[in-house]
Amino acid sequence: MKYRLIVLALLMALTTSAQTEQTGWEQLWEQMYSPEDMEEGEWEEYHERLQQLAEHPIDLNNATREELEQLPFLSQQQVMDIMEYLYYYKSMRSIGEIAMIPSIDYRQRQLLRYFVTFTEHTERAHFPSLDTLLSRGRHTLTATARYPFYKRKGDKNGYLGYQLRHSLRYEFASGQYLRAGLIGAQDAGEPFFANRNAMGYDTYSYYIQLRHLGFLENAVVGKYKLSAGMGLVLNNSFMLGKLATLQNLGRQSNTLRPHTSRSESDYFQGAAATLRLSKPLALTTFVSYRPMDATLNNDGSAATLITSGYHRTQGEMDKKYNTHLTATGATLNLHYGALRLGANTVYTHIDRSLEPDRTVLYRRHYAHGQDFLNTSVNYAYNHYRFTFNGETAVNQDGALATVNTLSFQPHSSFGAVALYRFYSYRYTGLYSHSFNDRGHTQNESGIYLGINWVPLTHLSLQAYADYSYSPWARYQTSLSSNASDFLIQADWCKGNWNVQGRYRLHLRQKDNKDKTALIPDREQRTRLFAVYTSPSGWAAKTQADMIKSAYKETNHGWMLSEHLSYQNPQWTLSVVAGYFDTDAYASRIYIYERQMQYEFSFPFYYGRGLRLALFGRTAILDNLTISTRLGYTNYFNRSTIGSGLQQIDASHQTDLDLQLRWKF
């Protein structure tokens, strides 16, 4: 049976038929940014948002400024340049016309073609009738499954469910006015229609979104995400990574959108709406009541809130939805000419007291209690040469957090950004996610400087330097500490060739073995790759990754990989082969691999071994697309993979992903 499924996957990957979908933005995005720049959950947020934009591209000729600001790789100046071009010339006919805007570089133009469409400029119509919405809408049904050709220890004894990981997704979309969806998802090992999952899937996400209904600019009922200002008070959507900050020059964002992923962290559940009170003034208000998993103390209080979403064992299942959060708040935004002002407030009540073990030094100032209040003001001024953005916030204890950016673009070939942040070690926010070096918007102050420079027609340079200081203890750091982060990246693009070199040096301080002093933790990463794309649809990418990590001991690692792909109007095929050799987990190496739609992973490898992956997509009918992905990893220096209930008693593992997508 195992080999029949593998043969079936290969046949489907090589079968040709009708039109397939384009997902080339993923490769471009991976080339522009670095997975080491952010946590996996943050990368998943970026991926989810861009996937939705690719599914529902922005009509550029009829777009508002707020709609263009949804594109995270554009700076405020670039958004303004697009709006100014459209004001003078009324419309664009193709993506090639974007080249007439000097501030948008080659790679951004390449990305834009996946997220925008071009129709004739028209005045925005009144909200259609319900019959019109329903008759013009499109339905999309997507089923995805992963079958592992191995058993983990928990599959034999410990997990409540079977090995299969699967999800089912339905969405209805009618133009820019109405979206509705339902997503059910199941991780491997979780029970299905059993135990506490009597309704089938372990988790569901659902939403209805209305837009442009008179003064009701945007409204979502169900599960949704919000962001405001620079993220000090409210952000369970995008988070500024260091390379992303360099690309968009640190601009702020205000978004309200449905929660459309299988993730069980960072969302609200209830209703939210943005009301256009006047042309320059908008009010967003929301209310949320949602369950969460928590590890409980002996007295019934919550020691930690759990966001992994795993319910595979009885212990994990017993924690499912044992705590509830009620949240409400509002953001008020004024946009008058070049000036932006905003005010934000969020209040949260937890039905059981949050009481982490604060006898541990680094947890001393963690969020605790049942009631939490955060308020802030955000501000921005946009000039055609420079932009200033910022936000300043306080929590219920009066602790302060502030982040401010100043970007300067004297010429289309040069841009610079400076960012200063100060987050008190007493500042806490349950929904606070802003620019930082160590994963938390707390206990950190620092300065970041970055530049974008195009010294030659086909050559672009990016570089940043970031210094941060933490006055209070952190995990693995018992004293005050500092960190420095440096990156330089060069891209050469000409004709069918794209060559990139990237070097990053990350310096941190951590405890020595006896926790009596701090010692350096140094990490150096280097990446070199060359991509050739032929006019006939073939593309080849050769990539070399190297790492040196030094903390208590020195570890080295390297990986050489080859990526081949072919794409035509009928089908898509992608093959990845890589050999890796690293000393330990500390010298792990990340590599990009093509994924199913709505699925995300940025796998990393350590040890010594071989990685092979095959991806194929084709349409077996005009509106029915099938995708398959076969992944194989063989480790040469170990006889088991993983640990605990995740342990595989073999040196290799093979996974098969299948996806059916029906549009009607």
Side-chain angles (χ1 to χ4, degrees):
M1 180 64 179
K2 166 182 175 180
Y3 299 104
R4 290 178 182 176
L5 285 173
I6 293 176
V7 171
L8 177 62
L10 293 171
L11 288 174
M12 287 190 296
L14 297 171
T15 300
T16 63
S17 184
Q19 179 69 29
T20 189
E21 298 187 18
Q22 311 291 311
T23 56
W25 65 265
E26 294 173 291
Q27 291 97 320
L28 288 170
W29 183 258
E30 183 266 342
Q31 292 169 20
M32 291 176 68
Y33 301 104
S34 168
E36 302 90 358
D37 193 33
M38 291 177 282
E39 298 294 328
E40 182 176 347
E42 296 153 13
W43 266 98
E44 186 174 358
E45 286 298 324
Y46 271 97
H47 187 273
E48 177 201 341
R49 183 58 185 140
L50 290 175
Q51 181 65 64
Q52 288 298 315
L53 286 170
E55 287 288 300
H56 308 281
I58 297 169
D59 183 357
L60 195 63
N61 290 328
N62 295 288
T64 64
R65 183 192 66 255
E66 289 79 10
E67 288 171 333
L68 289 178
E69 288 175 349
Q70 296 179 52
L71 297 167
F73 50 85
L74 293 181
S75 69
Q76 192 66 47
Q77 182 61 51
Q78 290 168 333
V79 171
M80 292 170 61
D81 288 347
I82 293 174
M83 296 302 296
E84 184 177 8
Y85 185 94
L86 293 173
Y87 175 78
Y88 282 110
Y89 298 102
K90 302 305 180 185
S91 65
M92 294 185 187
R93 297 184 180 276
S94 69
I95 195 67
E97 202 168 341
I98 293 286
M100 301 296 292
I101 302 176
S103 63
I104 300 177
D105 63 28
Y106 170 79
R107 187 163 296 169
Q108 289 172 313
R109 293 198 300 273
Q110 294 296 102
L111 266 176
L112 273 172
R113 64 193 176 100
Y114 295 101
F115 304 116
V116 299
T117 60
F118 300 89
T119 64
E120 291 298 322
H121 172 71
T122 59
E123 295 297 323
R124 192 178 294 277
H126 294 294
F127 193 83
S129 67
L130 180 60
D131 289 342
T132 302
L133 284 174
L134 296 178
S135 63
R136 294 181 179 177
R138 295 290 305 273
H139 306 264
T140 304
L141 187 64
T142 306
T144 307
R146 171 173 294 174
Y147 181 82
F149 295 101
Y150 51 82
K151 284 187 179 293
R152 298 181 174 92
K153 187 173 290 186
D155 297 324
K156 302 171 186 176
N157 183 21
Y159 289 156
L160 301 173
Y162 45 78
Q163 300 168 262
L164 194 66
R165 178 182 187 265
H166 58 99
S167 63
L168 187 64
R169 171 188 298 263
Y170 166 78
E171 183 177 79
F172 173 81
S174 185
Q176 58 190 326
Y177 300 102
L178 173 65
R179 285 178 63 193
L182 175 67
I183 301 105
Q186 196 83 8
D187 287 308
E190 293 177 336
F192 188 57
F193 281 111
N195 204 287
R196 292 182 59 186
N197 292 342
M199 298 298 292
Y201 283 104
D202 180 69
T203 183
Y204 288 94
S205 184
Y206 51 90
Y207 57 89
I208 298 175
Q209 181 183 32
L210 292 173
R211 301 180 65 225
H212 307 305
L213 180 56
F215 73 95
L216 182 63
E217 194 167 271
N218 190 5
V220 181
V221 176
K223 293 187 178 182
Y224 58 91
K225 291 178 176 287
L226 273 170
S227 67
M230 305 290 286
L232 292 183
V233 165
L234 187 59
N235 184 13
N236 50 25
S237 187
F238 287 122
M239 178 172 155
L240 293 174
K242 293 178 183 178
L243 273 173
T245 297
L246 189 56
Q247 193 67 48
N248 65 23
L249 298 181
R251 68 173 171 88
Q252 59 182 239
S253 65
N254 296 279
T255 61
L256 165 61
R257 63 186 183 88
H259 174 58
T260 58
S261 81
R262 54 183 294 153
S263 170
E264 294 188 53
S265 64
D266 275 344
Y267 67 84
F268 291 115
Q269 180 175 268
T274 298
L275 309 176
R276 179 59 60 180
L277 304 181
S278 64
K279 187 174 182 180
L281 192 63
L283 172 69
T284 299
T285 184
F286 70 95
V287 62
S288 169
Y289 178 77
R290 60 157 297 188
M292 284 199 72
D293 300 358
T295 300
L296 302 185
N297 297 312
N298 292 333
D299 61 1
S301 60
T304 57
L305 299 177
I306 303 171
T307 59
S308 66
Y310 289 129
H311 304 116
R312 302 162 298 185
T313 66
Q314 192 58 52
E316 291 174 344
M317 186 61 75
D318 290 341
K319 297 174 184 177
K320 184 175 182 178
Y321 301 161
N322 60 5
T323 303
H324 294 79
L325 278 67
T326 302
T328 186
T331 70
L332 184 66
N333 287 285
L334 173 70
H335 189 173
Y336 187 77
L339 181 67
R340 286 190 179 190
L341 295 173
N344 317 286
T345 184
V346 180
Y347 166 76
T348 304
H349 173 77
I350 306 180
D351 65 352
R352 63 172 82 237
S353 184
L354 179 60
E355 299 296 340
D357 183 3
R358 293 189 293 133
T359 62
V360 179
L361 188 62
Y362 72 86
R363 296 176 181 161
R364 182 74 54 81
H365 299 286
Y366 274 20
H368 61 280
Q370 285 189 271
D371 298 283
F372 304 88
L373 178 66
N374 295 77
T375 58
S376 74
V377 292
N378 60 272
Y379 34 85
Y381 181 79
N382 300 317
H383 186 267
Y384 75 98
R385 293 294 187 200
F386 69 88
T387 300
F388 174 68
N389 291 288
E391 183 178 13
T392 300
V394 293
N395 65 357
Q396 70 273 10
D397 299 322
L400 180 71
T402 184
V403 56
N404 300 275
T405 67
L406 178 64
S407 63
F408 178 56
Q409 194 165 8
H411 190 270
S412 60
S413 64
F414 183 84
V417 59
L419 182 149
Y420 170 76
R421 75 270 193 192
F422 170 81
Y423 311 140
S424 167
Y425 60 84
R426 297 188 301 112
Y427 182 80
T428 56
L430 297 183
Y431 315 106
S432 176
H433 300 285
S434 192
F435 185 100
N436 65 77
D437 180 71
R438 306 193 191 187
H440 298 283
T441 312
Q442 183 184 23
N443 187 27
E444 180 175 307
S445 60
I447 183 74
Y448 165 95
L449 301 172
I451 62 166
N452 282 312
W453 184 30
V454 184
L456 302 171
T457 303
H458 303 290
L459 178 66
S460 63
L461 300 175
Q462 291 183 310
Y464 71 69
D466 182 52
Y467 172 82
S468 63
Y469 171 73
S470 298
W472 192 261
R474 288 181 175 271
Y475 176 66
Q476 295 186 328
T477 308
S478 302
L479 303 170
S480 301
S481 62
N482 59 63
S484 300
D485 191 7
F486 306 93
L487 179 139
I488 184 167
Q489 177 174 302
D491 287 271
W492 182 79
C493 301
K494 185 176 182 181
N496 300 324
W497 284 95
N498 176 23
V499 180
Q500 182 186 102
R502 176 190 297 168
Y503 172 76
R504 183 183 185 186
L505 171 63
H506 207 170
L507 307 173
R508 294 180 177 178
Q509 293 178 312
K510 290 184 179 179
D511 289 329
N512 62 6
K513 184 178 181 180
D514 300 324
K515 297 186 178 181
T516 57
L518 299 182
I519 60 176
D521 176 7
R522 298 186 180 93
E523 182 181 272
Q524 301 177 68
R525 290 184 179 272
T526 304
R527 170 173 292 177
L528 301 170
F529 70 71
V531 180
Y532 177 79
T533 305
S534 74
S536 60
W538 283 100
K541 176 183 177 183
T542 302
Q543 179 169 305
D545 290 271
M546 292 149 283
I547 179 174
K548 179 181 179 181
S549 174
Y551 170 59
K552 297 182 181 178
E553 61 181 20
T554 300
N555 295 293
H556 297 82
W558 60 273
M559 184 171 187
L560 185 64
S561 58
E562 185 68 30
H563 308 239
L564 299 173
S565 64
Y566 179 73
Q567 187 167 289
N568 66 20
Q570 285 76 42
W571 51 282
T572 297
L573 179 66
S574 174
V575 180
V576 177
Y579 179 84
F580 54 92
D581 189 347
T582 79
D583 294 334
Y585 175 80
S587 54
R588 63 195 179 276
I589 291 179
Y590 295 81
I591 183 174
Y592 168 78
E593 293 179 6
R594 195 75 167 266
Q595 302 290 327
M596 301 287 151
Q597 283 194 284
Y598 310 116
E599 296 291 311
F600 172 84
S601 73
F602 229 122
F604 59 83
Y605 303 98
Y606 65 96
R608 184 165 54 88
L610 178 69
R611 173 63 179 175
L612 300 172
L614 172 66
F615 173 91
R617 175 177 292 154
T618 188
I620 54 179
L621 297 173
D622 287 344
N623 297 317
L624 183 62
T625 302
I626 185 168
S627 303
T628 183
R629 180 176 177 271
L630 188 66
Y632 170 79
T633 308
N634 190 5
Y635 295 91
F636 304 147
N637 63 334
R638 67 181 75 167
S639 58
T640 63
I641 302 172
S643 60
L645 294 179
Q646 288 288 93
Q647 181 174 307
I648 303 168
D649 293 327
S651 62
H652 58 87
Q653 65 182 92
T654 304
D655 294 275
L656 173 64
D657 292 274
L658 295 172
Q659 185 178 84
L660 282 172
R661 200 151 182 270
W662 182 29
K663 286 188 172 184
F664 57 98

